[in-house]
Amino acid sequence: MGWNSWNTFQGNINEKMVMEMTDAMVSSGMRDAGYIYLVLDDAWMAKERDPNTGDLVPDPVKFPRGMKFISDYVHSKGMKFGLYNCAGTLTCAGYPGTRGYEYQDARFYASVGADYLKFDWCNTEGINSIEVYTTMSKALKKAGHPILFSLCEWGTSKPWRWAAPVGHLWRTTEDIGNVFDGTKNMGSWSSNGAMTILDSQDTLRAYSGPGHWNDPDMLEVGNGLSESENRAHFSMWCMIDAPLIAGNDLRKMSVSTHDILTNKEVIAVNQDSLGIQALKYFSKDSLEIWIKPLSGGDWAFCFLNRKTTAQPVNFNWNAQVITDTLSKRNLDTKTLVYKLRNLWTKKEAGDTKKPFQARVGPHDVVMLRLGR
Ligand code: GLA
């Protein structure tokens, strides 16, 4: 869990903003809700490496006191610090890439106290992804400082198949955009709405687990979606065990955005120690039911309405035993009684003896926790 500069700021980052964001993570309660990493994405560097040493150089105008200064500041607030680079010759925004400098750059990250590296995939023509991400992984392990490794190769070579020993999270898709469904025209390319990304995640659940996560990209909560869309996007990212990397301006988020991002009971579903990604149990007429086994025999249950009009749900717990063949767990509401807790209204919602009836608003969710 953390915050990353890209979704709101792209290359418009600087020392003052980053320090303010660090302060906002503390004052807003984001840090205490679990958002520990502050990650600078693309465009933190100068356009050239140091001509004498070949080291990466922080942009001297944006970051006049360098990266160790920022890193120390973030650490002084009880958080961890992350940086970005790219496996290719240049980053996506045209700054010096790491190709051929893997060990040297890893030493640079360690020297500034970085705890996290996001490693992108632009300008990699002719490069073997498994080879280069493995090399960077080895370099980070040798660097002398623990560094979480975030693979950002957009799912191109199916990293879920090979990246568990290489890194801690891997992007499963191309970039997210601030739309709920469909795609967003970005000029020469298109970004994906949250629901569009969600559609390709269910088949990947077997690959995700503690220490090696599918990453369906960062959060767009607070970046222009409606309140219900923010809630639905966040709930689903929690259900599918996505790394929760906020991407909004924390210095001026609305109360509603704050309350969504810091809902502890919803976050607890995401952070559950079993680390079993939710499965799509039901899908009809744009109403989906996703379920997720939780520790202690609990389950999360999320009704997702992808329509622009409200839909009723009437779920009869006594009609079936749900089997998750992957985790080999059964939700037996035929014979066992579970209590229901609505995680967004934060209220008890009866138990599984009676059918659950609710109205799911347009582009919204009803999210329950079942416990005994
Ligand atoms: C790629 C990544 C994004 C972001 C940008 C930065 O598009 O997928 O998440 O890091 O590059 O240029």
Side-chain angles (χ1 to χ4, degrees), residues 1 116 148-151 159-160 163-165 167-172 201 204-217 237-244 269-278 292:
M1 295 174 70
Y116 184 113
L148 203 105
F149 191 28
S150 158
L151 284 72
W160 45 89
H168 304 96
L169 57 156
W170 51 79
R171 280 272 295 276
T172 54
Q201 301 309 298
L204 305 180
R205 63 186 293 259
Y207 299 98
S208 173
H212 52 95
W213 307 101
N214 289 323
D215 174 10
D217 205 359
W237 261 230
C238 287
M239 291 292 288
I240 62 172
D241 285 352
L244 299 179
V269 169
N270 176 265
Q271 295 288 307
D272 185 80
S273 59
L274 288 184
I276 301 173
Q277 186 175 322
K292 176 172 168 26

Side-chain angles (χ1 to χ4, degrees), residues 51-338:
N52 298 316
T53 62
D55 281 343
L56 294 169
V57 179
D59 183 312
V61 177
K62 292 173 179 170
F63 297 101
R65 286 178 275 191
M67 277 306 133
K68 180 78 167 63
F69 173 79
I70 301 284
S71 174
D72 287 347
Y73 189 73
V74 172
H75 288 142
S76 78
K77 303 287 176 179
M79 288 185 291
K80 295 184 182 222
F81 178 60
L83 283 171
Y84 161 102
N85 209 317
C86 191
T89 48
L90 293 172
T91 72
C92 299
Y95 295 88
T98 289
R99 183 60 176 162
Y101 291 87
E102 287 82 2
Y103 282 82
Q104 181 165 1
D105 288 357
R107 286 194 294 275
F108 174 84
Y109 305 132
S111 76
V112 299
D115 312 290
Y116 184 113
L117 177 68
K118 172 176 171 180
F119 205 48
D120 211 343
W121 187 239
C122 279
N123 305 300
T124 53
E125 287 69 23
I127 297 178
N128 178 303
S129 55
I130 302 180
E131 188 272 336
V132 73
Y133 280 98
T134 302
T135 302
M136 195 65 215
S137 172
K138 287 182 180 162
L140 292 175
K141 284 174 189 149
K142 282 238 161 175
H145 182 74
I147 300 177
L148 203 105
F149 191 28
S150 158
L151 284 72
C152 178
E153 64 78 84
W154 319 321
T156 309
S157 64
K158 301 187 169 52
W160 45 89
R161 290 189 176 169
W162 53 264
V166 175
H168 304 96
L169 57 156
W170 51 79
R171 280 272 295 276
T172 54
T173 70
E174 293 183 349
D175 289 12
I176 197 168
N178 62 343
V179 286
F180 188 64
D181 216 338
T183 57
K184 181 176 178 180
N185 184 348
M186 307 294 286
S188 56
W189 60 287
S190 296
S191 59
N192 299 297
M195 295 299 108
T196 305
I197 288 182
L198 182 67
D199 284 334
S200 61
Q201 301 309 298
D202 185 40
T203 52
L204 305 180
R205 63 186 293 259
Y207 299 98
S208 173
H212 52 95
W213 307 101
N214 289 323
D215 174 10
D217 205 359
M218 304 175 286
L219 295 164
E220 289 283 16
V221 175
N223 285 342
L225 303 181
S226 71
E227 179 175 347
S228 65
E229 290 172 344
N230 281 330
R231 184 164 46 240
H233 166 33
F234 188 71
S235 300
M236 292 316 303
W237 261 230
C238 287
M239 291 292 288
I240 62 172
D241 285 352
L244 299 179
I245 311 289
N248 57 315
D249 189 342
L250 305 174
R251 300 169 302 182
K252 48 182 190 196
M253 62 180 152
S254 67
V255 172
S256 145
T257 292
H258 169 271
D259 292 353
I260 289 170
L261 286 171
T262 58
N263 183 322
K264 292 209 164 87
E265 293 181 71
V266 176
I267 292 172
V269 169
N270 176 265
Q271 295 288 307
D272 185 80
S273 59
L274 288 184
I276 301 173
Q277 186 175 322
L279 73 101
K280 186 165 26 172
Y281 173 65
F282 173 91
S283 174
K284 198 178 168 206
D285 295 337
S286 300
L287 185 81
E288 297 178 5
I289 304 176
W290 291 70
I291 62 175
K292 176 172 168 26
L294 301 173
S295 53
D298 287 9
W299 291 74
F301 229 84
C302 194
F303 300 89
L304 168 67
N305 178 11
R306 293 174 61 161
K307 269 195 189 152
T308 50
T309 50
Q311 299 203 63
V313 294
N314 184 353
F315 192 80
N316 183 4
W317 305 101
N318 295 326
Q320 69 285 299
V321 173
I322 298 176
T323 301
D324 175 15
T325 47
L326 179 72
S327 70
K328 302 192 176 56
R329 279 157 202 272
N330 291 332
L331 174 59
D332 183 0
T333 41
K334 266 183 157 175
T335 49
L336 303 176
V337 177
Y338 290 77

Side-chain angles (χ1 to χ4, degrees), residues 30-41:
M30 287 285 285
R31 179 197 65 184
D32 292 344
Y35 298 86
I36 289 295
Y37 288 92
L38 183 138
V39 181
L40 293 187
D41 208 285

